[in-house]
Amino acid sequence: QQPVQSPQAVILREGEDAVINCSSSKALYSVHWYRQKHGEAPVFLMILLKGGEQKGHDKISASFNEKKQQSSLYLTASQLSYSGTYFCGTEAPGNTPLVFGKGTRLSVIA
Amino acid sequence: NAGVTQTPKFQVLKTGQSMTLQCAQDMNHEYMSWYRQDPGMGLRLIHYSVGAGITDQGEVPNGYNVSRSTTEDFPLRLLSAAPSQTSVYFCASRTGVGQPQHFGDGTRLSIL
C-alpha cells in the first residue's frame, strides 16, 4: 500500500522554507526520500532508519517518527535547484521492497 | 561502473504485441524492482526480487512477468500489450534492507 504524501504540490519563492509529509498505515523499518527532475530518474536524497533519527543534507533534512509511522522532509532557504518532484519510499520490516507515495511537486520561483 | 542499465530507452508497440524490457546492474545488488510511473500516480511497484531465483508481485503485477536467473539481470515481460500499459518504466536496485536504491534511466513505452 502506497504511503500518503502531503501536500501534492507547493510553490515557493527562493529563500522560503517547505515541509513535505509522508505517512504509512504499516509498521516501518525505514523511510527513504528521493527527488526527481522532469524527464529524469529519481535520485536518492537520504534514508532514515527505525529509531526516530533525524538527518540533514545541506539545507535539506528529515525526521522519522516510527511510533506514528510518519516522516517529514524539511527544505530550508529554498533554491531554484530544489524544484522537482519529491517521493518518499517506505520499507516494512523483513525482506520487503520500497513502496513509494504519489509524490509532491515542488516549484521554486525567483 | 554503469550502475543500472535499462534498454530500450523508447519503444512503441501495437496492442497485443509482447516484448521484454531489459534491466541489468553491475553493483552486485541483491534487491531489484520494477516500477511504472504514470501522471499523478507516483511510482507503483510491479514486481520485485530479493535475490537470484526469488521474485514476488508488487502493487500492479497484472499483465507482467519477471524472472531472476542471475544477480545482474531482471527482465520485465509484457505478455500482450494493452494501451493501459503505456507508461514510463523504471528498474531499480539496492544492496539490501535499509540501503539506498539506485534507479535506471527509464524506458518510455507507448502502446497504440
Side-chain angles (χ1 to χ4, degrees):
Chain A
Q1 187 174 5
Q2 286 184 298
V4 177
Q5 285 187 237
S6 63
Q8 291 184 338
V10 59
I11 300 174
L12 299 174
R13 292 197 178 275
E14 275 187 292
E16 292 183 337
D17 302 339
V19 180
I20 300 172
N21 299 303
C22 174
S23 64
S24 173
S25 58
K26 295 185 174 182
L28 299 177
Y29 175 75
S30 70
V31 177
H32 302 221
W33 286 96
Y34 292 77
R35 178 170 62 205
Q36 183 181 33
K37 301 281 188 177
H38 183 69
E40 299 179 3
V43 174
F44 172 77
L45 291 177
M46 65 186 74
I47 181 172
L48 299 103
L49 302 177
K50 183 179 177 180
E53 63 178 8
Q54 184 157 350
K55 275 197 171 181
H57 182 270
D58 195 8
K59 294 179 181 177
I60 300 175
S61 62
S63 62
F64 176 27
N65 185 327
E66 64 183 272
K67 289 185 179 179
K68 294 185 177 181
Q69 314 304 332
Q70 294 175 348
S71 178
S72 294
L73 185 71
Y74 307 94
L75 300 100
T76 59
S78 59
Q79 308 166 14
L80 294 175
S81 61
Y82 286 3
S83 293
T85 300
Y86 289 78
F87 291 99
C88 72
T90 57
E91 178 182 22
N95 290 329
T96 61
L98 271 183
V99 180
F100 289 91
K102 293 185 177 180
T104 296
R105 178 177 289 183
L106 181 76
S107 301
V108 181
I109 59 176
Chain B
N1 285 348
V4 180
T5 303
Q6 290 184 237
T7 56
K9 293 191 184 302
F10 302 92
Q11 184 70 48
V12 178
L13 290 178
K14 293 182 179 179
T15 298
Q17 288 185 315
S18 62
M19 82 159 293
T20 299
L21 306 186
Q22 301 291 344
C23 176
Q25 51 90 10
D26 61 358
M27 298 173 283
N28 202 32
H29 285 173
E30 290 295 325
Y31 285 31
M32 296 187 75
S33 298
W34 276 102
Y35 300 88
R36 60 177 288 174
Q37 185 171 31
D38 304 292
M41 300 300 291
L43 294 158
R44 292 185 292 172
L45 181 68
I46 306 172
H47 285 284
Y48 68 98
S49 168
V50 297
I54 305 169
T55 63
D56 207 343
Q57 295 181 351
E59 304 161 280
V60 289
N62 291 343
Y64 307 95
N65 272 356
V66 292
S67 59
R68 184 96 181 271
S69 56
T70 67
T71 299
E72 294 78 19
D73 299 301
F74 191 41
L76 178 72
R77 297 181 185 85
L78 278 71
L79 309 174
S80 178
S84 61
Q85 294 178 305
T86 293
S87 188
V88 180
Y89 291 84
F90 287 102
C91 178
S93 72
R94 58 187 176 131
T95 305
V97 173
Q99 297 299 312
Q101 186 157 267
H102 302 262
F103 284 84
D105 289 337
T107 294
R108 283 148 184 81
L109 182 64
S110 294
I111 300 167
L112 307 176

